[in-house]
């Protein structure tokens, strides 16, 4: 008996009714296909891009990410779990339904193959029943998040618009979210009701009835139906109605995929497939053939960026992580993406591409991004790092900034700084000749790496060279290296600003000048490795100089110093008993995953390390990145660094806030004063603590 | 129609500069060169007039500078900001020219170019003569106005309305016949940024070279013989007359507070 | 005997103080037998005769002209006087008005010429004028070979006005017929947006480029209130709109006329700024750059971080 058990499909339907259903089915597929075509046409209207690396490796990485849900689990395990239930539930149900179609419409009529029967069918029916439970459970959790937990990151109110603006909090997004959730919940639950009704209807057929507990939910519902007095005849009618309702809703769902947020099934996967693991660390070059730098029109984005826009699921993690948004600046990375997505939707999905004038993405109109928004970005990478669907915000923002820079649409102080850097090679406007002047205070002469070979070439960077407070740190580091017997030197006035932040401002031409100049200075010197105390210089030399022909081995001082401790060149003679916390610099931590060395050093020094809530990959930017150190923050508004000081102050008994970046030292010492927390704890460069633990 | 903008490449002293052996100038190795700050504003003013016109294509903005090849860098900056053409005049005889001799050259260029307006900066940030623009007007016998910080001018118009920035926060509005020479003051506008990319692209645009002969001038018109003054020597001024208050921050602030309190006690 | 011709300046019926300073300069340059002749061009020039009758003035020339400065008529008047009197030395102010015609005069009358002169003397019988160079970082000595007469535009606030005690001759120079190519319309006083009068303030605290960002302005405003000073600023701060133009001290801003204590914080000391304040008896300069030219006019100097100093200073009030 079990052998003949199979899925009840059309059963009593007349030929016309079946044909009607097929007509709906084909219509849904056609609508789906058209939608997919329109989307692909949209992406193809973007600029060309050739992905690096093999498609196979990319596919493997994508599949692994999708199956593991690692990116969705991060910093929100409950959402990850719920999404996993929905994903696997939906996938199994989809596969189940798809295989029925496979047998019924292809394998059986063409080859007479039937597999949807017997034990295989029963096991599958059990699996699908469980999958349905998972799907509904996951969906209900999502509803709770939206309806009851009301997570701030799911609030669509925009920091770059005012209440009353047409696109301020976008209620249509909320409607779509709920429609999506309810549609799936209804499809899932009507599936069960249908199953229960079918069982009651066919209770007389032992191949159906006796195996009913293989679909436990359906069997329980059947028992319930019988309890309330539903007989086989009534159940047949109920089943017939539910069948059509369920079937048409499911077909409608399929038809709507390319037109609604449901498309993230494909776009998010595509986004992962096209992901650039160094998107923020290594910005794209401008082709010599480019008519204009950066992005002016929506079609100046490449197809992958347009796909990125569609991958966004509005989860709000970037919105939550963004330091600019946190202090009320008119920027949310989420809204940049959603704005541009709406813009692309409005302009690139029509049959004929609108005039160039209508494709301008800069401005304050609907879907446009304002310069105030773009200049609020610190390029700290918090958004890119946390995005569960591999959206790469930073290159999008920097590409748009490149256009602003070309137009001179920026803060006058930034203009001034860029001119200064061009003229003097540093942002301080100091003479090139003075770059190495800080070393005059040392009791020994620093080697000039331009004139003699060294083991370690120290790329000092602007802040460590010119800022009086950081000069002291540079002097300390030089002394420590000397004591450890390291053979090292600097480039003196052969060095220029490394260009990391100039590039992130969007002044690519100036970056090229700086990078080229530094690369030729480095190439002319003899050394084994480069070291720097500046994470910004570290990032660009490590990740970006190779694109300009400068391939150098480079370390941040934290790894070099750890090495010196490990091989006994440095020894702690006076352990520190401080209670400290460590601030991961964006460019060392998130950008280059240098999380461990500074922590190991702190442990070596004898410090008790207490982490802040936002640490490591979730470290909170000091606000200086992306050239923002050169542009004053608005008056009377909390600055990111101040926000961070308050976070640190919440650690009981904190004595030292440890940084390992010159800009951090400047930003946080300032913020400590302006938040009135001076005296509670101090801000120190890790180098200074090392010095303290090894008294000269 | 045409606006000619006279620009200068100025020199600032680098750290630890040295006075040249003959004592009459600074060793050129210690000079950092850049476009004169005032000229950023005068070029910008010309560009704004061009861009505000109904048919900007009909208005030509031409930058001109007198100086050796190193000046091309500054002229390229002008081209990067949108100047249509750039001219450079040089001859070794021009060295040691004072503002009057330079003005003679600029006037000759102006005759050749026949613009509707000539703009110059009020002064240069290095030597602050505040003379070249008006001296040029004198050679041309053109109307002129100095220290202009607001300009209302339509190319081709017979007059321009402008404001001069006088001392003590006073402005004087006047109407001036055109063509004229205006010396433009800082703050009249916000100069645009020339991106490095545009500067690079400007490198492809030609800079027209003019010799003295092209301008119908002879060597005696320029240099020391064409000038109204001659540099005798340069020397470092006595400085640091201030009595420095030493000590840590607290000590310095305490002494400063004493000075303030002393003053308040007196009054 | 030679003549030193001084061109006095007036604006809106007021003699500009630099006019008397020019007479002071004429005194220092006067040699045995020289005559100092001062010309004043105004609607009613005789009104200024009393003021111009200072020590060492031999003659006052009245020129009845337009009420206000017009470059063409000024140039032709001065040119006419020069042709008539053939002075060996002509002294004018290095002022905004003189910017408007003096260089033209130097072109039309082939005299020796130097502008922004802050020192002039005869060396071995030859006139040597000194001015600043390279952003006032160096002094530049000029001489005038083969020139019989020299026109010097003298920097304001350098020379001392002579004592008022003389009875010069009076003469009249007829205004030549000039077709002025410019028409003065009106004067516009930059309205004091916040009703502050820098010229009457006795204690001024000025902030300059050194404060770096607009966000820092309020703390210095508070500091000024705390110590009882009027807050002023240098040109870059006013140009950036961080403080109203009416608070700008300097050549194109206000002169700190009544000021007795001037505290300059983060002001490097551009010559145009110094013009408005260097006469103040007690100037205290705070700057990170020990080389800043503000220290050359200050009585007291503090080299250091102005924010730290400001922070500490607050504790004393």
């Amino acid at each position: 008996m079990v052998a003949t058990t199979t899925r009840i499909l059309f059963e009593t339907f007349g030929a016309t009714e079946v044909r009607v259903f097929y007509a709906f089915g084909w219509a849904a597929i056609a609508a789906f296909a058209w939608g997919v075509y329109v989307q692909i046409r949209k992406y193809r209207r973007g600029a060309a891009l050739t992905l690096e690396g093999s498609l196979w490796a990319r596919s493997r990485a994508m599949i692994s990410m999708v199956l593991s849900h690692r990116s969705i689990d991060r910093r929100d395990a409950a959402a990850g779990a719920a999404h996993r239930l929905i994903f696997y539930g939906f996938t199994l149900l989809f596969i189940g339904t798809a295989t029925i179609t496979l047998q019924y419409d292809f394998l059986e009529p063409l080859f007479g193959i039937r597999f949807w029967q017997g034990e295989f069918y029963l096991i599958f029916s059990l699996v699908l029943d469980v999958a349905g439970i998972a799907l509904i459970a996951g969906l209900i959790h999502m509803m709770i998040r939206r309806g009851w937990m009301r997570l701030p990151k799911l609030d669509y109110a925009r920091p770059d618009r005012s209440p009353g603006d047409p696109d301020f909090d976008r209620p249509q997004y909320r409607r779509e979210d709920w429609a999506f959730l309810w549609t799936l919940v209804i499809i899932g639950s009507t599936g069960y009701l249908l199953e229960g009704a079918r069982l009651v209807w066919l209770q007389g057929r032992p191949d159906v009835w006796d195996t009913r507990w293989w679909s436990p939910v359906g069997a329980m519902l059947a028992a319930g139906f019988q309890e309330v007095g539903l007989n086989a005849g009534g159940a047949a009618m109920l089943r017939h109605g539910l069948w059509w309702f369920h079937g048409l809703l499911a077909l409608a769902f399929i038809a709507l995929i390319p037109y609604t947020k449901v498309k993230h099934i494909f776009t998010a996967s595509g986004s992962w497939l096209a992901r650039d693991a160094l998107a923020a660390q290594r910005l794209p070059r401008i082709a010599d053939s480019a008519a204009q730098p950066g992005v002016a029109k929506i079609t100046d984005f490449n197809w992958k960026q347009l796909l990125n826009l569609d991958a966004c699921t509005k989860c709000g993690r970037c919105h939550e992580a963004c330091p600019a948004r946190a202090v009320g600046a008119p920027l949310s990375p989420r809204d940049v993406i959603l704005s541009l997505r709406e813009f692309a939707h409005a302009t690139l999905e029509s049959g004929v591409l609108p005039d160039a004038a209508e494709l301008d993405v800069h401005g304050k109109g609907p879907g446009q991004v304002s310069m105030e928004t773009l200049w609020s970005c610190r390029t700290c990478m918090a958004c890119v790092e946390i995005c569960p669907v591999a959206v790469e915000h930073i290159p999008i923002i920097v590409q748009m900034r490149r256009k602003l820079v070309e137009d001179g649409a920026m803060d006058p102080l930034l203009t001034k700084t860029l001119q200064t850097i061009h003229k003097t090679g540093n942002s301080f406007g100091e003479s090139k000749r003075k770059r190495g002047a800080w070393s005059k205070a040392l009791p020994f002469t620093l080697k000039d790496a331009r004139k003699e070979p060294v083991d370690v070439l120290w790329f000092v960077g602007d802040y460590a060279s010119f800022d009086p407070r950081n000069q002291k740190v540079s002097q300390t580091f030089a002394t420590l290296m000397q004591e450890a017997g390291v053979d090292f030197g600097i480039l003196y006035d052969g060095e220029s600003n490394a260009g990391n932040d100039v590039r992130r401002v969007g002044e690519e031409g100036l970056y090229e000048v700086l990078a080229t100049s530094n690369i030729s200075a480095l190439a002319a010197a003899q050394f084994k490795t480069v070291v720097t105390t500046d994470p910004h210089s570290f990032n660009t030399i490590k990740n970006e100089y190779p694109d300009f022909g400068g391939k150098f081995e480079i370390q941040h001082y934290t790894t070099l110093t750890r090495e010196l401790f490990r091989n006994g060149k440095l020894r702690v003679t006076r352990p520190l008993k401080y209670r400290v916390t460590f601030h991961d610099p964006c460019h060392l931590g998130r950008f280059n995953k240098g999380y461990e060395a500074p922590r190991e050093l702190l442990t070596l020094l004898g410090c008790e390390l207490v982490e802040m809530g936002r640490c490591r990959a979730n470290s909170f930017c000091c606000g200086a990145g992306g050239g923002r150190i050169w542009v004053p923050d608005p008056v009377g508004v909390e600055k990111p660094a101040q926000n961070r000081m308050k976070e640190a102050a919440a650690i009981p008994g904190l004595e030292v806030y440890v940084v390992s970046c010159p800009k951090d030292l400047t930003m946080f010492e300032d913020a400590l004063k302006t938040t009135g927390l001076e005296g509670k704890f101090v801000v120190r460069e890790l180098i200074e603590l090392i010095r303290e633990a090894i008294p000269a | 129609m045409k606006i000619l903008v006279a620009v200068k490449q100025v020199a600032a002293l680098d750290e630890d500069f040295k006075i040249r052996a003959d004592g009459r100038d600074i060793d050129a190795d210690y000079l950092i060169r850049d476009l004169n700050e005032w000229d950023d504003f005068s070029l910008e003013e010309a560009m704004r007039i061009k861009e505000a016109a109904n048919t900007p294509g009909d208005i030509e903005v031409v930058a001109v500078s007198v100086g050796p090849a190193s000046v091309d860098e500054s002229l390229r900056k002008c081209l990067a900001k949108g100047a249509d053409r750039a001219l450079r005049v040089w001859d070794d005889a021009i060295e040691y020219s004072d503002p009057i001799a330079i003005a003679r050259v600029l006037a000759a260029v102006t005759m050749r170019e026949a613009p509707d307006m000539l703009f110059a900066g009020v002064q240069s940030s290095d030597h602050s003569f505040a003379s070249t623009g008006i001296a040029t007007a004198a050679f041309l016998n053109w109307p002129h106005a100095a220290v202009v910080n607001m300009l209302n001018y339509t190319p081709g118009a017979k007059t321009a309305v402008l404001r001069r920035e006088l001392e003590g926060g006073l402005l004087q509005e006047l109407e001036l016949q055109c063509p004229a020479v205006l010396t433009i003051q800082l703050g009249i506008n916000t100069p645009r940024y020339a991106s490095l990319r545009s500067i690079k692209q400007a490198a492809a645009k030609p800079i027209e070279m003019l010799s003295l002969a092209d301008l119908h001038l002879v060597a005696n018109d320029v240099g020391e013989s064409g000038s109204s003054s001659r540099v005798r020597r340069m020397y470092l001024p006595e400085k640091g007359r201030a009595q420095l208050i030493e000590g840590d921050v607290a000590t310095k602030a305490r002494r400063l507070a004493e000075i303030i309190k002393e003053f308040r006690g007196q009054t | 005997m030679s003549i030193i011709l001084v061109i006095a300046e007036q604006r809106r019926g007021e003699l500009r103080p630099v006019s008397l300073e020019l007479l002071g300069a004429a005194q220092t340059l006067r040699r045995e037998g020289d005559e100092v002749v001062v010309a004043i061009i105004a609607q009613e020039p005789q009104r200024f005769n009393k003021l111009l009758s200072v020590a060492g003035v031999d003659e006052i020339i009245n020129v009845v002209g337009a009420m206000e400065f017009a470059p063409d008529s000024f140039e032709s008047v001065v040119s006419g006087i020069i042709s008539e009197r053939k002075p060996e030395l002509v002294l004018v102010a290095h002022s905004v008005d003189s910017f408007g015609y003096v260089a033209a005069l130097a072109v039309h009358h082939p005299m020796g010429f130097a502008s922004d002169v802050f020192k002039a003397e005869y060396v071995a019988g030859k006139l040597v004028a000194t001015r600043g160079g390279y952003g006032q970082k160096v002094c530049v000595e000029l001489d005038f070979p083969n020139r019989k007469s020299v026109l010097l535009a003298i920097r304001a606030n350098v020379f001392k006005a002579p004592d008022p005690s003389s009875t010069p001759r009076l003469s009249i120079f007829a205004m030549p017929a000039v077709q002025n190519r410019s028409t003065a319309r009106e004067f516009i006083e930059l309205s004091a947006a916040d009703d502050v009068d820098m010229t009457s303030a006795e204690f001024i605290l000025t902030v300059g480029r050194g404060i770096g960002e607009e966000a820092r302005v309020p703390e210095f405003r508070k500091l000024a209130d705390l110590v009882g000073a009027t807050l002023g600023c240098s040109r870059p701060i006013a140009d950036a709109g961080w403080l109203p133009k009416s608070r700008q001290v300097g050549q194109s801003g206000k002169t700190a006329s009544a000021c007795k204590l001037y505290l300059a914080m983060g002001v490097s000391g551009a010559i145009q700024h110094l013009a408005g304040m260097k006469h103040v008896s007690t100037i205290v300069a705070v700057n990170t750059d020990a080389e800043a030219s503000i220290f050359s006019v200050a009585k007291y100097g503090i080299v250091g971080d102005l924010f730290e100093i400001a922070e500490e200073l607050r504790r004393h009030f």
Side-chain angles (χ1 to χ4, degrees), chain B residues 95-131:
Chain B
E95 215 178 340
Y96 302 112
S97 289
D98 80 341
I100 302 296
I102 297 294
R104 188 174 286 118
V105 175
L106 288 174
V109 175
T110 311
M111 303 280 278
R112 188 186 154 99
E113 287 289 324
D116 296 87
M117 206 62 142
L118 171 63
F119 289 172
V122 166
Q123 59 185 18
S124 58
S125 56
D126 52 358
H127 294 300
S128 332
F129 295 115
S131 305

Side-chain angles (χ1 to χ4, degrees), chain B residues 25 123 126-127 129 141 144 167-168 171 173 175 227 230 232-233 235 239 241 243 245 252 261 264, chain C residues 96 100 115 131 134-135 139 141 143 147 183 185-186 188 227 253 272 291 296 299 301 303 316:
Chain B
D25 208 338
Q123 59 185 18
D126 52 358
H127 294 300
F129 295 115
N141 207 15
H144 50 84
E167 291 90 347
L171 301 177
E173 189 169 290
E175 194 173 339
S227 294
R230 180 181 72 171
R232 197 165 167 264
R233 71 171 180 122
Y235 63 94
K239 58 174 178 181
R241 275 194 299 157
Q243 180 193 328
I245 297 170
K252 288 170 174 168
K261 284 175 177 163
R264 297 214 300 196
Chain C
V96 173
S115 63
R131 62 192 313 285
Y134 297 110
C139 294
E141 274 184 5
D143 58 11
R147 301 290 183 170
T183 322
R185 285 180 156 187
E186 56 175 336
I188 299 138
V227 301
Q272 288 83 358
E291 305 295 314
S296 67
K299 185 168 178 186
V303 178
H316 294 275

Side-chain angles (χ1 to χ4, degrees), chain A residues 645-646 648-649 654-657 672 677-683:
Chain A
M645 284 298 95
K646 289 177 191 160
L654 179 71
E655 291 170 284
V656 190
Y657 180 90
L672 187 67
L677 291 165
E678 215 173 359
K680 297 224 166 175
F681 58 92
V682 295
V683 177

